[in-house]
Amino acid sequence: MPPLHIGMLGAGGIARAHLPGWLALGARVSVYTVDGSARKLAAEYAESGHAVTAADDLGGLLAGVTAVDVCTPTPTHRELALAAVAAGRHVVCEKPLALTARDAEEIAAAAVASGVRLHPAHVVRYFPAYAALRTAVARGDLGELAVLRFTRGGARPQWAPWFGDPAQSGGVIMDLMIHDIDIARWLAGDVIRVHARTRGVEHATRTPAEVVTATAVLTHASGAVSHINGLWGLPDQRFRTTFRVAGADGLLHHDSTAVPGFRITAQGVRAANEGIPTSPMTESPFLAELRDFVASWRPGGPEPRVSTRDGVEAVRIAEAAVESSRTGRVIEIEEAAR
């Protein structure tokens, strides 16, 4: 396989989480942003002798890279992913693929038509506790799944204004809870019904922004039920995730704050309250995720842990949860969509 040349779009927190992974895989990375931050990021790495450069324009970047890593705000994902696909490049796109299932499906269809890979970056599948949970469930250790409970919460993101506008971020459900929505579907299968409720003001009009919580109840085609809770809290809110998964033959539970090997780490220079969950006692989940994607590009390579359909369905379920929260109605997910 030719040496990797990755075109990274964006230079914010998630780009800083992905970049060390690409470098560990021996990639040369060209970074493009519209605000000049690409040059700052490239300069930081150039001081250490890494192969990171800033690209002057998007067209030039797309013409010369192996793949594109979309690490920009959610509202830009559709346009940038479609441009990369049209240029014949594999695409890694940070979650969510798009703000609507229709847009996510459009990107997926374009990738199929162009014969390139589209990788939704649902990195939680690569965190050790969640990977071990999936292995146990697939092995049948818990028997038939009955009730799955997930929580995820931390300080409300305020380092970029678009987070505070639900029209751009999708709010706490689409931006944060989509991680556990994806995990619930990974474990218990397709979702047929969603009921959700959000408490607090999603639109950030104050400093500090108000606390927002949300709950989504997913009914799976298998009959299992998933309860997912999300929290965007005050600036001193400690980041925490938990799961408690019960089946006919057993129960598994996990709390990130009870595991010494789990913490929030800064990726380079960061704004206040900006942190990326990681696991310093093991290989970086971001590196594991990117290696998995790259392996699938080779002829006859293995299928990655996250498929394009997984990314589309996560958006579909999260979109239904947002709609349920807005209207108070239970949202049925059409059979034709699954």
Side-chain angles (χ1 to χ4, degrees), residues 90-144:
H90 301 303
V91 176
V92 177
C93 184
E94 185 52 37
K95 62 79 199 164
L97 275 180
L99 283 172
T100 68
R102 176 177 294 181
D103 284 352
E105 288 171 337
E106 181 184 3
I107 301 168
V112 171
S114 295
V116 298
R117 288 279 192 170
L118 172 63
H119 304 289
H122 283 280
V123 73
V124 174
R125 292 192 181 199
Y126 296 85
F127 275 74
Y130 293 85
L133 171 63
R134 163 67 178 186
T135 297
V137 168
R139 198 166 50 210
D141 293 356
L142 303 185
E144 184 177 356

Side-chain angles (χ1 to χ4, degrees), residues 5 17 30 42 65 82 101 116 128 136 143 162 187 202 208 246 269 284 298 314 333 336:
H5 183 188
S30 297
V65 299
L82 287 175
V116 298
W162 64 272
L187 298 172
E202 291 245 66
V269 179
S284 162
R298 300 184 177 93
I333 295 182

